[in-house]
């Protein structure tokens, strides 16, 4: 039954706009059947993840065909980057964060800086980043984790489903951010 549920949710997440009514029951069942321990799954956690579904109504947490909503996780370096890649030639919006692994499933998040990352012009890539003074604790509970799928619950109660992007390179995506 488990492999079928993983296939079902991955197929749903590849649709342009997965429906809450389809995703939530499988999400809940996988959380129950396959609990995560991030400390034991650091290799699976590491990499580039694409947000494919969220329970949030915030526009930047919705799947859009014109926007790549990526999260680069580097837990062994205690770093992460949320990256909204806008259509060319606009660049993207990046937020750099520090991570603290808090087993069994929690990842503490402290936002450090964020802003606009421009498109590359030859060797030059403009950026406008500012420091962030985070006034509240933030965290993410990673509830299900494989090398293909990550299900999480945020500190505000939002549910997230992400697919790992093996075709994207963490170094290329973070090279201009001075992690």
């Amino acid at each position: 039954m488990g492999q079928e549920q993983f296939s079902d949710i991955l197929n749903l997440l590849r649709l342009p706009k997965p429906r809450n009514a389809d995703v939530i029951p499988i999400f809940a069942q996988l959380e129950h059947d396959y609990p995560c321990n991030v400390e034991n799954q650091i290799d699976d956690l590491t990499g580039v993840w694409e947000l494919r579904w969220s329970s949030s109504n915030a526009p930047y947490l919705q799947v859009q065909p014109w926007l790549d909503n990526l999260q680069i996780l580097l837990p062994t370096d205690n770093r992460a980057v949320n990256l909204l890649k806008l259509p060319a030639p606009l660049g993207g919006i990046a937020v750099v964060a520090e991570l603290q692994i808090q087993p069994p499933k929690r990842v503490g998040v402290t936002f450090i800086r964020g802003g606009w990352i421009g498109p590359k012009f030859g060797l030059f890539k403009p950026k406008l980043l500012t420091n962030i003074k985070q006034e509240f604790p933030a965290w993410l509970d990673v509830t299900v984790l494989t090398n293909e799928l990550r299900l999480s619950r945020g500190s505000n109660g939002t549910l997230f489903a992400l697919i790992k992007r093996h075709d994207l390179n963490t170094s290329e995506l973070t090279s201009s951010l001075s992690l």
Side-chain angles (χ1 to χ4, degrees):
M1 182 69 169
Q3 291 305 321
E4 183 178 316
Q5 291 171 314
F6 280 108
S7 293
D8 289 348
I9 199 165
L10 286 168
N11 288 334
L12 284 171
L13 297 177
R14 290 184 179 108
L15 296 173
K17 292 260 185 185
R19 294 176 343 133
N20 290 359
D22 295 329
V23 173
I24 290 174
I26 302 171
F27 191 112
Q29 189 64 50
L30 285 170
E31 284 184 316
H32 179 267
D33 294 345
Y34 299 95
C36 173
N37 184 320
V38 289
E39 189 174 46
N40 296 336
Q41 295 180 267
I42 292 295
D43 289 342
D44 288 336
L45 188 61
T46 301
V48 180
W49 294 89
E50 180 181 7
L51 181 67
R52 294 301 307 151
W53 176 83
S54 158
S55 64
S56 174
N57 291 324
Y60 59 91
L61 291 177
Q62 297 298 307
V63 174
Q64 303 294 342
W66 49 270
L67 179 71
D68 284 336
N69 194 330
L70 304 176
Q71 191 172 71
I72 300 107
L73 298 180
L74 304 165
T76 56
D77 295 333
N78 298 319
R79 289 284 187 259
V81 177
N82 288 339
L83 179 62
L84 296 175
K85 287 181 67 179
L86 303 169
L90 300 175
I93 306 296
V95 178
V96 178
E98 181 180 295
L99 301 179
Q100 307 87 36
I101 302 297
Q102 303 167 1
K105 61 185 175 181
R106 185 153 293 175
V107 178
V109 180
T110 304
F111 298 105
I112 300 170
R113 62 186 174 283
W116 175 73
I117 305 293
K120 193 171 189 178
F121 298 105
L123 298 176
F124 178 66
K125 189 170 191 173
K127 61 184 173 185
L128 181 59
L129 298 173
T130 186
N131 290 337
I132 296 172
K133 184 177 182 200
Q134 181 175 319
E135 298 188 13
F136 56 91
W139 47 264
L140 191 66
D141 281 343
V142 180
T143 57
V144 174
L145 181 62
T146 72
N147 196 34
E148 301 293 327
L149 173 70
R150 190 177 99 223
L151 305 180
S152 303
R153 292 177 177 266
S155 48
N156 291 331
T158 303
L159 306 179
F160 301 99
L162 301 95
I163 294 178
K164 190 173 256 187
R165 293 285 306 269
H166 297 282
D167 60 316
L168 298 176
N169 183 294
T170 58
S171 298
E172 288 176 20
L173 292 170
T174 61
S175 63
S176 64
L177 295 173
S178 305
L179 295 180

